[in-house]
Amino acid sequence: MTLEEAQALDAADPLRHARDRFRLPDGTIYLDGNSLGALPAATPARLVQTVEHQWGEDLIASWTRHGWIDAPRRVAAKLAPLLGADVDELLIAESTSVCLFKLLAAAVQAQPGRSTILSQEGNFPTDLYVAQGLTELLPHIRLRTVPAGEIESAIDEDTAVVMLTQVDYRSAARLDLASINAAARARGTLTLWDLSHSAGAIEIDLKRDGCDLAVGCGYKYLNGGPGAPAFLFAAGHLQGRLRSPLPGWMAHAEPFAFEPAFRPAEGIAQFLTGTPSILAIAALEAGLDSFAGIPMSAIEAKAAALSQRFIEEVEARCGSEVQLASPREPSRRGSHVSFAHPAGYAVIQALIERGVVGDFRAPDLMRFGFAPLYNGFVDVLRAAETMAEILRDGSWDQPRFRERSRVT
Ligand SMILES: *Cc1c(COP(=O)(O)O)cnc(C)c1O
């Protein structure tokens, strides 16, 4: 692909106007939106408004006057169309890890007589740690992990819940929601999906595909800002069977009755815990507003086109120096691409110094995320060219590029 061809693809891109909804530093090609989404242009003013006008002037009256008390539900409603969920099946809350704990514990408790949490080997560490923590709390429960290809056959009468991540954070390999959900349902097993690397990047239809439970991250493709609140989903038909393991006062049927005994709110609100972080939710809302008017089908189509072009351009220029570590078929991937290189960490640092921001995942993966709202084909071309240059001239091979920082 030549620069002219890349520019022509950008000019013909139906999502090209969405780039203006973000602020990115000049000269930076940002391919790490799968780790921390870019800053939406509307976020600074939204935060100033929330802090200065709402908090600063209306003080505590803002809980009612500005609808703070409903923020976890109201902002969840903006997320619902991105996930194919009903508004009363979704909640904004805490972090992915905490939401996962709440739903995993609820799923296990809803399945008396079953003792296995089934997951995938190499699942995202926090997911496995949360499950391990739960097995220490509930000694009759065990965690079993199997390779991706064995998940469906490993579901049996003892499996309480299958806990999986839809898009693998390293390889971007995508699991088939509908097929795994059907296999689980046939054996009376619940499914709990982590959508952290898929929400906002690919088309998801939780309802159509029969998902029981799900969680996901607010600060990746949803652009909610560092440490943004996460989301949790519980299918409507299941909600009556579930009990939250962390029923704080916000989950009470009448929080301001201040009753000594817990009475759960109806529906999804029972999964609230404490007071929501209003400033963080305001930033997440601005992140979700950057999707306004854009169907997820268009976002997924662009994600596939960008990532496919990137694979082609890198392979054409770098040959066998790098190995594709992601599925080649776009429908089997999320919106990031990983290439393996023995000095991957140093190569990524050298790329960052030249303005191409990807990241590194141990042991040897260079990871590049394509956020369809703000990345384009010129970004793809420049990133591939810069990687080829760095590998050709060996400029990555310097001690300063090998020094590991705490966050990779
Ligand atoms: C990013 C990510 C998380 C993050 O969890 P936090 O609680 O927000 O730190 C969890 N699971 C997966 C699969 C992720 O990719």
Tab-separated table of all heavy atoms in Angstrom, residues 95-97 124 126-127 165 194 196-197 217 219-220, ligand 1:
chain	number	residue	atom	x	y	z
A	95	SER	N	-14.562	-1.849	39.194
A	95	SER	CA	-13.608	-2.274	38.166
A	95	SER	C	-14.045	-3.615	37.586
A	95	SER	O	-14.907	-4.298	38.146
A	95	SER	CB	-12.222	-2.435	38.785
A	95	SER	OG	-12.276	-3.485	39.738
A	96	THR	N	-13.437	-3.999	36.493
A	96	THR	CA	-13.745	-5.302	35.894
A	96	THR	C	-13.533	-6.420	36.914
A	96	THR	O	-14.350	-7.328	37.039
A	96	THR	CB	-12.843	-5.544	34.674
A	96	THR	OG1	-12.896	-4.392	33.836
A	96	THR	CG2	-13.300	-6.752	33.882
A	97	SER	N	-12.418	-6.339	37.634
A	97	SER	CA	-12.101	-7.413	38.585
A	97	SER	C	-13.199	-7.550	39.640
A	97	SER	O	-13.628	-8.668	39.961
A	97	SER	CB	-10.771	-7.128	39.280
A	97	SER	OG	-9.740	-6.942	38.337
A	124	PHE	N	-6.930	-13.994	31.048
A	124	PHE	CA	-6.331	-12.794	31.637
A	124	PHE	C	-6.095	-13.037	33.138
A	124	PHE	O	-6.982	-13.533	33.833
A	124	PHE	CB	-7.266	-11.604	31.423
A	124	PHE	CG	-6.628	-10.284	31.718
A	124	PHE	CD1	-5.827	-9.661	30.776
A	124	PHE	CD2	-6.812	-9.664	32.951
A	124	PHE	CE1	-5.228	-8.434	31.044
A	124	PHE	CE2	-6.214	-8.432	33.222
A	124	PHE	CZ	-5.421	-7.823	32.273
A	126	THR	N	-6.139	-11.416	35.957
A	126	THR	CA	-7.062	-10.993	37.019
A	126	THR	C	-8.269	-11.929	37.094
A	126	THR	O	-8.762	-12.236	38.176
A	126	THR	CB	-7.501	-9.512	36.830
A	126	THR	OG1	-7.817	-8.952	38.107
A	126	THR	CG2	-8.696	-9.335	35.921
A	127	ASP	N	-8.712	-12.428	35.956
A	127	ASP	CA	-9.874	-13.322	35.949
A	127	ASP	C	-9.557	-14.609	36.716
A	127	ASP	O	-10.358	-15.093	37.510
A	127	ASP	CB	-10.289	-13.652	34.500
A	127	ASP	CG	-10.668	-12.392	33.721
A	127	ASP	OD1	-9.859	-11.436	33.696
A	127	ASP	OD2	-11.761	-12.362	33.135
A	165	THR	N	-12.860	-15.126	28.493
A	165	THR	CA	-12.663	-13.815	27.895
A	165	THR	C	-12.893	-13.962	26.399
A	165	THR	O	-12.297	-14.840	25.757
A	165	THR	CB	-11.241	-13.308	28.195
A	165	THR	OG1	-11.118	-13.168	29.620
A	165	THR	CG2	-10.986	-11.964	27.547
A	194	ASP	N	-15.949	-12.141	29.881
A	194	ASP	CA	-15.195	-10.906	30.060
A	194	ASP	C	-15.027	-10.283	28.671
A	194	ASP	O	-14.405	-10.877	27.781
A	194	ASP	CB	-13.839	-11.213	30.705
A	194	ASP	CG	-13.086	-9.939	31.081
A	194	ASP	OD1	-13.300	-8.905	30.429
A	194	ASP	OD2	-12.263	-10.010	32.018
A	196	SER	N	-13.623	-7.308	28.023
A	196	SER	CA	-12.710	-6.160	28.119
A	196	SER	C	-12.030	-5.825	26.806
A	196	SER	O	-11.844	-4.662	26.480
A	196	SER	CB	-11.654	-6.426	29.191
A	196	SER	OG	-12.255	-6.419	30.463
A	197	HIS	N	-11.630	-6.846	26.049
A	197	HIS	CA	-10.918	-6.581	24.800
A	197	HIS	C	-11.827	-6.647	23.576
A	197	HIS	O	-11.335	-6.695	22.452
A	197	HIS	CB	-9.736	-7.549	24.640
A	197	HIS	CG	-8.459	-6.965	25.155
A	197	HIS	ND1	-8.089	-7.043	26.485
A	197	HIS	CD2	-7.494	-6.249	24.541
A	197	HIS	CE1	-6.938	-6.407	26.640
A	197	HIS	NE2	-6.560	-5.919	25.484
A	217	CYS	N	-14.453	-3.772	30.552
A	217	CYS	CA	-13.609	-2.678	30.978
A	217	CYS	C	-14.085	-1.354	30.366
A	217	CYS	O	-14.441	-1.305	29.195
A	217	CYS	CB	-12.231	-3.036	30.444
A	217	CYS	SG	-10.931	-2.136	31.162
A	219	TYR	N	-12.118	1.515	30.263
A	219	TYR	CA	-11.025	2.420	29.859
A	219	TYR	C	-10.284	1.961	28.615
A	219	TYR	O	-9.312	2.584	28.226
A	219	TYR	CB	-10.030	2.613	31.018
A	219	TYR	CG	-9.480	1.348	31.636
A	219	TYR	CD1	-8.446	0.651	31.043
A	219	TYR	CD2	-10.005	0.855	32.821
A	219	TYR	CE1	-7.953	-0.514	31.615
A	219	TYR	CE2	-9.526	-0.304	33.406
A	219	TYR	CZ	-8.497	-0.980	32.795
A	219	TYR	OH	-8.018	-2.137	33.364
A	220	LYS	N	-10.728	0.869	27.981
A	220	LYS	CA	-10.055	0.405	26.761
A	220	LYS	C	-10.781	1.014	25.558
A	220	LYS	O	-10.748	2.218	25.384
A	220	LYS	CB	-9.988	-1.113	26.764
A	220	LYS	CG	-9.056	-1.609	27.894
A	220	LYS	CD	-9.017	-3.088	28.073
A	220	LYS	CE	-8.036	-3.428	29.202
A	220	LYS	NZ	-8.176	-4.804	29.667
B	1	LIG	C1	-8.012	-5.078	30.937
B	1	LIG	C2	-8.667	-6.317	31.423
B	1	LIG	C3	-9.155	-6.403	32.733
B	1	LIG	C4	-8.931	-5.247	33.659
B	1	LIG	O1	-9.424	-5.430	34.939
B	1	LIG	P1	-9.391	-4.206	35.950
B	1	LIG	O2	-10.114	-4.690	37.115
B	1	LIG	O3	-10.019	-3.039	35.264
B	1	LIG	O4	-7.961	-3.886	36.225
B	1	LIG	C5	-9.811	-7.555	33.113
B	1	LIG	N1	-9.964	-8.586	32.251
B	1	LIG	C6	-9.496	-8.535	30.987
B	1	LIG	C7	-9.712	-9.675	30.065
B	1	LIG	C8	-8.828	-7.407	30.537
B	1	LIG	O5	-8.356	-7.344	29.300
